[in-house]
Amino acid sequence: MMNQTEPAPAGLTEDLTRRALRLVLDRTTDMAATALRVPLHYYRDPKIAEVEETQILRRTPLMIVPSARIPAPNDYVVRTVLGDSLLVTRDRDGTAHVLLNYCRHRGAQPACGSGNATRFTCPYHAWTYRNTGELTGVPGKEGFTGMDRGDYGLVELPSQERHGFIWAVLTADSEIDIDAHLGDMGPELAQLDYGTYGYHDEREFTSEVSWKGALEAFAESYHFPFVHGQSVIGQNTVANTSTHDAFGRHHRMGFPFNWISALDTDPTGSWDPLMNMGVIYWIYPNLVLANSPVGVEILDMLPAGAPTRCTVRHSWMAKIPATTDEQRAVYDTIYAQVHAAVRDEDFAMLPQCGEGVRRGQHDHMIIGRNEIGVQHMIKTFAAELGIALS
């Protein structure tokens, strides 16, 4: 949560566009007070990685799926988060549930893929569960005399649906309060109204880089001309220039598009921030929301069995849901472009960073004042993990 003495950052207003324009005209960027030294063990120490998973990632609300992924009653999808198979359902009344996808008999997985169903049957011994988790069918029930079916439903994780996403805590005996978790970021997400967007596509892959290092790629534009110089990101965005606003542990970055400078000579144009910059949110601990004028990229990054290995799920939602094949074809093209930038540009470079962290014999790396968003991420995690920075 944000310190109560700190004012909430201004919302998505013309003032944000004016700030970004001023930075572009002055050829500068929002900056941290000093450069930051980060010890390499911050990224590669297995003991730190264990604490991250057990004390942060399994105790903090995570975005599991966009609401638009299961829009209709009885829709469901199965996804894996930190190795756990999760069955995300929407019951006939429209309420979302996040269930551990493990049969209570012998542990096989009752559901797979996605679709629309009211019941799920375990493939091992055909125990059957409602999409709310209750156990409804046990073949050979005489073998389980005295068992109360009410005690053997699928384990449900604490979850809430807010701001167009279904969130959950991966520890069943925990509590969840998304409003408290988001703090002043909540009204900003409400302003964006993601619940009205249309879900389009997703891809998932593994990369040999720390999940924290992967997140950092979406918190600075210093690398844009070098990594994205031949793609739409590098060609349309002013390099090494951004606004930065902290919302407690979360933050918002604004990466100005080249055409923002036209507002200096023709102020009659649109001052809508989403039309003049890429607005990128980091929602602590692992979620990035990258907004463009037509939609939002959703990236959630998590560790994958080693300190310098991560999984990346990259999905995209359209601001105006597709209703025709022509619209879907346009969105296919947009998603293909943005996914190629992530997969073939960012995550072509990031494994080199992962190797440098694993094999480097220096004791620290240095993060520049111009990388203020990266610094905010590192300082936030370091405070949670008790890691000293300088």
Side-chain angles (χ1 to χ4, degrees):
M1 291 288 290
M2 179 172 293
N3 187 303
Q4 295 301 311
T5 63
E6 298 176 2
L12 292 174
T13 67
E14 289 187 8
D15 287 344
L16 183 59
T17 305
R18 294 183 189 282
R19 279 177 55 199
L21 175 60
R22 189 73 265 155
L23 292 173
V24 171
L25 295 177
D26 291 346
R27 298 178 181 271
T28 187
T29 186
D30 281 357
M31 290 200 188
T34 62
L36 181 70
R37 293 185 175 194
V38 185
L40 289 194
H41 70 260
Y42 169 82
Y43 297 101
R44 69 187 184 188
D45 187 333
K47 293 181 180 179
I48 291 176
E50 182 180 1
V51 173
E52 288 169 0
E53 177 165 342
T54 59
Q55 300 303 313
I56 296 178
L57 294 171
R58 291 190 174 276
R59 295 286 177 179
T60 305
L62 304 180
M63 191 283 294
I64 306 301
V65 295
S67 299
R69 185 68 179 86
I70 52 168
N74 300 322
D75 279 354
Y76 75 91
V77 64
V78 174
R79 71 161 297 191
T80 300
V81 179
L82 286 176
D84 293 346
S85 181
L86 304 183
L87 170 57
V88 188
T89 68
R90 191 175 299 284
D91 65 28
R92 66 181 182 180
D93 297 322
T95 301
H97 304 266
V98 179
L99 308 162
L100 287 176
N101 186 32
Y102 301 115
C103 179
R104 293 292 304 279
H105 175 218
R106 299 280 290 278
Q109 298 179 10
C112 63
S114 62
N116 187 277
T118 60
R119 286 176 170 76
F120 303 93
T121 299
C122 176
Y124 197 2
H125 297 94
W127 282 32
T128 300
Y129 301 87
R130 290 194 180 98
N131 61 7
T132 48
E134 294 93 340
L135 176 63
T136 62
V138 178
K141 61 183 179 181
E142 62 275 7
F144 296 89
T145 302
M147 182 188 79
D148 185 345
R149 289 187 187 182
D151 294 335
Y152 289 88
L154 299 177
V155 173
E156 183 163 7
L157 298 178
S159 67
Q160 287 183 323
E161 190 165 11
R162 291 282 192 284
H163 307 304
F165 300 104
I166 297 166
W167 312 76
V169 176
L170 297 184
T171 302
D173 61 359
S174 296
E175 296 181 352
I176 187 168
D177 186 339
I178 293 300
D179 293 336
H181 172 60
L182 294 176
D184 288 312
M185 181 63 78
E188 184 117 347
L189 296 186
Q191 182 181 352
L192 288 156
D193 201 18
Y194 291 128
T196 65
Y197 283 38
Y199 181 83
H200 188 70
D201 205 350
E202 69 179 40
R203 298 286 187 277
E204 186 170 359
F205 58 90
T206 302
S207 185
E208 298 298 317
V209 65
S210 160
W211 68 283
K212 294 177 297 187
L215 284 167
E216 291 167 9
F218 302 90
E220 48 89 0
S221 58
Y222 186 29
H223 72 284
F224 280 11
F226 316 112
V227 175
H228 301 299
Q230 302 305 310
S231 68
V232 66
I233 296 175
Q235 293 168 3
N236 287 345
T237 311
V238 182
N240 199 28
T241 303
S242 63
T243 62
H244 179 265
D245 294 285
F247 293 70
R249 294 185 296 185
H250 322 292
H251 74 202
R252 177 185 65 208
M253 305 290 301
F255 298 117
F257 298 137
N258 292 331
W259 54 82
I260 195 173
S261 58
L263 291 173
D264 186 45
T265 55
D266 180 14
T268 63
S270 172
W271 288 82
D272 180 350
L274 293 177
M275 299 303 294
N276 289 287
M277 66 185 80
V279 178
I280 314 297
Y281 295 95
W282 173 48
I283 310 298
Y284 175 89
N286 73 314
L287 177 64
V288 170
L289 302 173
N291 296 271
S292 75
V294 294
V296 61
E297 296 175 65
I298 304 163
L299 298 111
D300 58 295
M301 285 156 271
L302 289 165
T308 55
R309 182 182 305 124
C310 70
T311 60
V312 181
R313 182 177 292 265
H314 182 213
S315 50
W316 191 79
M317 294 199 301
K319 196 170 186 178
I320 301 174
T323 57
T324 67
D325 289 343
E326 289 78 11
Q327 280 180 300
R328 281 183 280 273
V330 170
Y331 293 160
D332 283 343
T333 300
I334 293 172
Y335 179 73
Q337 290 176 341
V338 297
H339 185 65
V342 169
R343 181 195 63 214
D344 302 331
E345 295 173 9
D346 286 310
F347 282 91
M349 177 59 61
L350 286 168
Q352 295 186 34
C353 301
E355 182 175 348
V357 165
R358 284 190 300 274
R359 304 186 66 85
Q361 297 186 35
H362 48 296
D363 64 354
H364 72 273
M365 63 176 62
I366 189 163
I367 309 299
R369 295 178 60 214
N370 56 319
E371 299 173 280
I372 185 172
V374 177
Q375 288 204 21
H376 177 250
M377 287 179 160
I378 292 169
K379 290 174 181 176
T380 299
F381 282 124
E384 297 285 334
L385 296 166
I387 296 173
L389 303 171
S390 62

